[in-house]
Amino acid sequence: MSEPVHQHIREFIVENFLFGDDDYELDNGVSLIETDLVDSTGILELVSFLEERFEIAVADADIVPANLDSIDRIAAFVARKRGEGQRLAG
Amino acid sequence: MCGIAGYCGDGVAPQDGAALLWRMGRELAHRGPDGQGSHVGRGIGLGHRRLAVIDLSDDAAQPMASACGAIRIAYNGEVFNYLELRDELVARGRRFRTESDTEVVLQLYEEFGPDFVARLNGDFALAIWDGRNRRLLLARDRMGVRPLFYHWLRGTLYFASEIKALMQVPGFSAEIDPLALDQIFTLWTPLAPRTAFKNVNELPPAHMMIVEGGRAVTRPYWAFDFPTPGDRASPRAEDDVAEELRALLEDATRIRMRADVEVGSFLSGGLDSSLISAIAARQAPGRLRTFSLAFDDPAFDESRHQETMAAALGTRHDVLTCRAGDIAAAFPAVVRQMERPVLRTAPAPLYLLSQRLRGEGLKVVLSGEGADEIFAGYDVFREARIRRFCARQPGSKLRPHLFRRIYPYIASLQQQTPEYLAAFFGAGADLPDDPLFSHRPRFRATAGAKLFFSRELKAELAGYDAAEELAASLPAEFSRWHPLHQAQYLETRFLLPGYILSAQGDRMVMAHGVESRFPFLDHRLVEFAARIPPDMKLRGLREKHILRRAGADLLPAEISDRPKQPYRAPESVSFAGRDGAYVEALMATPRIAEDGLFNPQATRKLLDKHGRGAVAGFRDSAAFVGILSTQLWLREFAGTATRKQSAQAV
C-alpha cells in the first residue's frame, strides 16, 4: 500500500476527528470506533472525504467496519476501489 | 418554595452574622422574592428568602421559631401531605398558630426528632436548629428535587440552596474541581456529594446531616431499591396494577395542587405531562393553565401534539416559541443558575419558559418529569434490550436494524449499515454482567469529548475513571436486580437529581421564582413502580406500557399511543448567529490557553468547524457546549482570575 494514501487518510482523521491533537497515538491498525474517534456522523464525513479525495464511489454496502474502521483498512479499501475503477476503465 | 442559607460554628462573630446572612440571602433573591428573614444566635445563623405559596400571611414567615423559642427552622420546599400530618399532630394534642406547612414540619421535629423526615411526602431542603442541645439538622427530599450545598471553612459549616450564596462567605475561593469536570464529561453530572466547585459538597438526596459540637454525621433516611429474586411477591394481574397506579398518580397530583396561589402545568405534548395535565384539569375544571415550548426548527417541535392535548383538555394554553438565537442569548444566565458546566443546551429553553410563566403571574407549575425514570421511558432502556438481543447473535444482519427504530430522530443513524449499527452500540456488549452495561455506549460516546481536555488536565486526571467510581458506589444488592431495574437505578439515582431535576429543573424554574412539582416523583409512586415487573414497564420495545394502560382513557389516542420523543433543543448550532457572538472571545486561543482546562489548538479547530456550520455529531456538539459552559462558569464564578492564577495564589 502506498504511504501517501495512508498519510492523506491520517491527516484527515487527525484534522477532523482529533482536531489536530498531535499527542494522540494513532496507530494504523487501531479501531476508530473502539477508541470513540468516529460516531455515526463521523462515518458519513469519512465517506464523503474518501469519495472526493480519491475519486472513488462508496456504495451503501461498502460502509462497514471491515472496510473503514482503521487507517490500514481504509487504505486497503481505497486501493481495492481504485483497482476496480481501473479495471472498469480498461 | 424559597431559598435558605446559614452557618453553624464559631467562624462568624455574632455582630457579623446578620450582615452575612443578608448577603447570602441577596444571592438567593430569585428563589424567594416575597420576603426575607434571619435568625442569629451564638454559633448559629439561619437565613431565609420566601416565595409565599401556602399561608401567604406574615405569620408563616421564616425562620420560624417553636412555641418555646428554642427551635428554629429555615425551610425550602413543600410538604404535600402536611394537612394529614397536621391532623395527626392535632390528635396528639398539638396546637397550631399558622396554616403553613412550615409549622407542621417544625412541630413534627419537636414530636419525633430528626427521623420525622421519613414521614414527609414532598420536595424540601431544610435546616432546623435545636437550641436545647445545640444541634443543627439539615435534610433533603428523597429524589433530590430541592438543592442544598455546604462548605466547611475553619471548623464552621456554611450551607445554602445555591452555591452563589456560599461565595459570600469571607475567605471562600471558587475553583473548578477537575474530577467533577471529568464526571460531567462522562456521566453528564457530578457524583454527589461532589459539585463543580472544589470544597463545596451537596447533601445527597434522601440524606440528613446532623451537626453537633463541630462534628457532622451524614446518613440516608430512605433508599431507592428494587426487588431481588428472593422477594417473592405474588404475581398480580395487569389490570390491578394499572388501577392502583392510576389511583396513586391521581392522589400524587391532587396533593401537589395544594397551594394558596394558582397552579399551572407544563405540557410537552408527550405522554407524561399530558397525563398530569389531564388529571390536574379534572381537579380544576375549566381553570387549568398549560404552558408549552415550541421550536422554530421542526426537528425539535412538538406543537401539533401540544395543541391536540390542550384542545382536548380545554385549558388556557400558552406557547413560547424558542429560536436558536434565544438559546445563545440566555445561555450565560443559564450557566450562572446551573452553577456547573453542561454538555447540552436543553436547560435554556426551560429557563425561558419559566420566565414566561412568572410573567403570566404563576408561581407553581406541575411537571411530568420522573415518569421516564420510574416507568422505563428513556431510549437507553430500549437500547440496552436491543444490545443484549444483538449480543446473542453477534453476526446477525437483521437485529441491528432495531437501533434505527428507537432513534428515528438521529438522521445519521438511519443511513448506517447493520455492521456499523452493531459496532456503534457494541461497547461492552460482550460483558452482560457489567453493572454499567446499559449506559456504556452513552458514557463512552460522551467521554469522547474529553479529547479536548488540555495536556495538563489530562495529566492531572491520569488514572481516574468516572464510570468506575460510579460502578464502585452501587449498592451490594444491585447485581441481583433485573437488568432493566439496574438501568433504571442508574438513571433515577444519578442522572435524575444530578441533571434533570437540577440543571434542567429546580435551577431553571427557581431562577424566576417558580416552583415545579413532580407527581411522578411522589415516593409512594416511586416505590410502587419499582415493584412492577419489568415486562409491564418495557413491553418488547414499547416503553411505559403500564402507564399508557393506566391513563389511556384520559388522553386522545394520538397522545397515548405516541412513541417517546425525548426533549431536545438545538445544540451548538444555537450559537451560530449574532446572539452567540460572545462565544468567539470566550473560546479564543489565548483565553483557553490561559485558563488551562482545554487544548487551545483543538478548541480553535472546533470553533472553526462550528463557524463553517459543520459541527454535527454528538461528540463534537457536546464538546462545544461543554467547553463553552465551562468557560462561562470560569468567567462567572472564578472572576477575572484564571485557573492558573488561582493555583499560583494557593
Side-chain angles (χ1 to χ4, degrees):
Chain A
M1 185 52 51
S2 59
E3 275 311 304
V5 173
H6 274 79
Q7 192 55 33
H8 288 313
I9 296 165
R10 170 178 292 277
E11 284 171 4
F12 174 80
I13 290 171
V14 170
E15 188 66 17
N16 285 275
F17 301 144
L18 285 166
F19 291 85
D21 184 355
D22 297 331
D23 290 346
Y24 198 95
E25 291 179 16
L26 182 63
D27 294 334
N28 286 344
V30 77
S31 162
L32 301 177
I33 288 184
E34 286 178 17
T35 49
D36 296 306
L37 287 183
V38 296
D39 57 14
S40 58
T41 308
I43 289 298
L44 301 178
E45 287 178 50
L46 175 64
V47 168
S48 172
F49 161 75
L50 295 176
E51 289 184 331
E52 288 169 18
R53 179 65 185 78
F54 299 109
E55 297 180 332
I56 58 174
V58 181
D60 287 354
D62 292 331
I63 306 175
V64 294
N67 289 337
L68 303 174
D69 197 35
S70 70
I71 293 176
D72 277 342
R73 288 184 186 186
I74 299 167
F77 172 70
V78 168
R80 274 201 312 277
K81 280 288 173 184
R82 282 175 148 180
E84 283 173 17
Q86 283 167 0
R87 277 196 301 278
L88 287 173
Chain B
M1 197 52 50
C2 313
I4 64 172
Y7 58 86
C8 181
D10 298 325
V12 182
Q15 67 273 19
D16 298 334
L20 174 60
L21 291 173
W22 185 85
R23 289 200 310 275
M24 293 173 85
R26 184 187 58 198
E27 297 297 315
L28 304 173
H30 51 278
R31 299 185 71 89
D34 297 335
Q36 61 175 314
S38 65
H39 164 75
V40 175
R42 184 168 57 85
I44 185 69
L46 296 180
H48 188 261
R49 295 289 311 209
R50 184 177 184 211
L51 180 69
V53 169
I54 292 176
D55 187 348
L56 311 185
S57 73
D58 288 342
D59 295 339
Q62 297 185 46
M64 182 182 283
S66 61
C68 68
I71 305 171
R72 290 177 190 268
I73 181 171
Y75 158 61
N76 163 208
E78 307 294 346
V79 170
F80 304 115
N81 63 339
Y82 78 104
L83 292 175
E84 291 78 8
L85 291 168
R86 182 187 166 109
D87 289 345
E88 194 183 329
L89 287 168
V90 168
R92 294 171 77 101
R94 290 198 158 262
R95 299 174 64 179
F96 285 83
R97 294 166 289 155
T98 73
E99 298 299 318
S100 70
D101 59 335
T102 307
E103 191 183 1
V104 174
V105 174
L106 184 59
Q107 294 213 32
L108 278 168
Y109 172 81
E110 287 186 280
E111 192 75 16
F112 300 107
D115 288 330
F116 85 92
V117 180
R119 306 169 76 92
L120 305 181
N121 181 349
D123 307 331
F124 56 84
L126 59 83
I128 295 178
W129 171 248
D130 189 337
R132 298 171 304 185
N133 46 26
R134 301 192 58 73
R135 182 170 71 186
L136 175 71
L137 168 70
L138 301 179
R140 197 170 167 214
D141 63 71
R142 291 173 179 82
M143 306 308 290
V145 175
R146 300 299 157 215
L148 188 54
F149 300 96
Y150 62 92
H151 168 65
W152 285 96
L153 187 65
R154 291 187 281 278
T156 294
L157 175 77
Y158 299 87
F159 58 89
S161 298
E162 296 183 16
I163 297 171
K164 51 184 75 68
L166 296 175
M167 292 180 68
Q168 294 300 316
V169 175
F172 181 94
S173 168
E175 198 180 330
I176 203 153
D177 182 335
L179 286 186
L181 202 58
D182 193 297
Q183 291 171 354
I184 291 169
F185 273 70
T186 306
L187 313 171
W188 294 26
T189 171
L191 293 173
R194 192 179 294 279
T195 73
F197 289 70
K198 250 184 190 173
N199 303 320
V200 175
N201 286 333
E202 71 168 300
L203 185 65
H207 277 66
M208 66 170 77
M209 176 192 281
I210 295 175
V211 186
E212 209 166 2
R215 294 184 57 194
V217 175
T218 302
R219 64 178 168 89
Y221 65 86
W222 181 81
F224 175 57
D225 61 9
F226 290 93
T228 56
D231 298 342
R232 284 263 171 240
S234 50
R236 296 181 61 190
E238 202 168 287
D239 283 344
D240 292 347
V241 175
E243 190 180 330
E244 186 172 350
L245 192 170
R246 172 71 169 267
L248 275 170
L249 184 59
E250 287 184 353
D251 196 58
T253 307
R254 179 184 65 83
I255 63 174
R256 277 162 183 74
M257 295 187 75
R258 288 175 171 168
D260 293 328
V261 296
E262 185 178 7
V263 178
S265 188
F266 283 141
L267 186 59
S268 73
L271 176 72
D272 313 330
S273 63
S274 295
L275 269 176
I276 298 300
S277 298
I279 294 170
R282 287 187 171 193
Q283 303 269 344
R287 288 185 286 116
L288 186 70
R289 296 183 66 183
T290 46
F291 294 84
S292 294
L293 265 176
F295 290 94
D296 61 354
D297 183 340
F300 301 94
D301 189 57
E302 299 182 69
S303 298
R304 185 167 61 85
H305 304 291
Q306 295 159 358
E307 287 161 12
T308 298
M309 197 61 217
L313 296 178
T315 62
R316 192 173 146 203
H317 189 54
D318 199 344
V319 180
L320 176 75
T321 301
C322 190
R323 301 173 307 115
D326 297 336
I327 291 175
F331 204 60
V334 167
V335 172
R336 174 174 164 73
Q337 291 304 326
M338 292 187 297
E339 300 180 323
R340 44 160 287 186
V342 284
L343 308 181
R344 310 291 297 271
T345 60
L350 292 166
Y351 174 90
L352 296 168
L353 183 59
S354 303
Q355 189 174 42
R356 165 70 68 88
L357 219 81
R358 186 62 197 228
E360 291 292 317
L362 269 86
K363 287 182 177 179
V364 179
V365 65
L366 299 171
S367 162
E369 290 290 3
D372 286 321
E373 286 80 1
I374 69 171
F375 291 113
Y378 285 128
D379 296 332
V380 72
F381 303 128
R382 297 191 291 166
E383 179 190 299
R385 180 163 282 185
I386 297 172
R387 287 171 60 235
R388 287 184 192 278
F389 180 60
C390 291
R392 291 199 289 274
Q393 288 289 338
S396 169
K397 296 279 194 293
L398 290 175
R399 298 183 183 207
H401 286 292
L402 288 169
F403 290 118
R404 287 205 191 106
R405 192 168 137 197
I406 60 171
Y407 293 111
Y409 50 88
I410 302 180
S412 58
L413 272 186
Q414 301 303 315
Q415 302 169 48
Q416 300 297 335
T417 56
E419 288 87 347
Y420 256 118
L421 288 170
F424 288 134
F425 294 100
D430 53 338
L431 298 169
D433 295 330
D434 173 10
L436 305 184
F437 177 90
S438 56
H439 286 63
R440 282 290 181 196
R442 181 203 286 180
F443 292 162
R444 284 207 20 198
T446 306
K450 292 196 289 186
L451 169 75
F452 291 89
F453 281 4
S454 68
R455 192 177 296 173
E456 296 79 12
L457 183 59
K458 284 178 183 170
E460 199 174 340
L461 293 167
Y464 176 70
D465 187 328
E468 292 316 307
E469 182 175 335
L470 170 63
S473 73
L474 299 172
E477 59 273 24
F478 182 91
S479 63
R480 301 179 65 212
W481 294 340
H482 185 281
L484 178 65
H485 289 163
Q486 292 179 342
Q488 284 187 270
Y489 184 87
L490 295 174
E491 283 291 321
T492 310
R493 179 68 183 78
F494 298 101
L495 203 71
L496 178 69
Y499 176 76
I500 299 286
L501 293 177
S502 50
Q504 207 168 284
D506 172 271
R507 315 306 291 277
M508 294 303 101
V509 293
M510 285 307 296
H512 306 290
V514 176
E515 171 184 316
S516 45
R517 298 180 175 182
F518 307 92
F520 284 110
L521 296 179
D522 185 307
H523 72 276
R524 296 170 301 169
L525 198 53
V526 172
E527 290 169 354
F528 176 76
R531 271 148 186 79
I532 295 176
D535 183 50
M536 285 192 201
K537 288 181 272 198
L538 185 57
R539 172 73 47 92
L541 291 182
R542 180 180 160 89
E543 75 281 4
K544 294 184 286 197
H545 167 77
I546 192 70
L547 182 62
R548 290 177 196 279
R549 182 152 182 179
D553 63 303
L554 291 170
L555 308 176
E558 174 190 326
I559 303 295
S560 64
D561 295 340
R562 203 182 154 211
K564 164 81 182 165
Q565 173 165 337
Y567 165 64
R568 299 179 305 140
E571 300 290 350
S572 56
V573 69
S574 305
F575 301 91
R578 201 177 51 209
D579 293 308
Y582 61 88
V583 171
E584 181 65 35
L586 277 169
M587 291 171 70
T589 301
R591 179 76 189 245
I592 292 286
E594 187 61 29
D595 287 331
L597 292 170
F598 299 103
N599 179 323
Q601 289 75 35
T603 302
R604 181 70 251 170
K605 288 178 187 292
L606 180 65
L607 200 52
D608 290 343
K609 194 171 182 180
H610 168 71
R612 298 194 302 272
V615 172
F618 169 79
R619 182 196 67 172
D620 295 354
S621 193
F624 183 91
V625 178
I627 294 170
L628 175 61
S629 59
T630 306
Q631 292 299 113
L632 283 165
W633 187 99
L634 289 173
R635 185 180 78 175
E636 181 65 38
F637 299 110
T640 53
T642 64
R643 184 165 174 269
K644 282 182 179 169
Q645 287 167 343
S646 300
Q648 284 160 5
V650 173

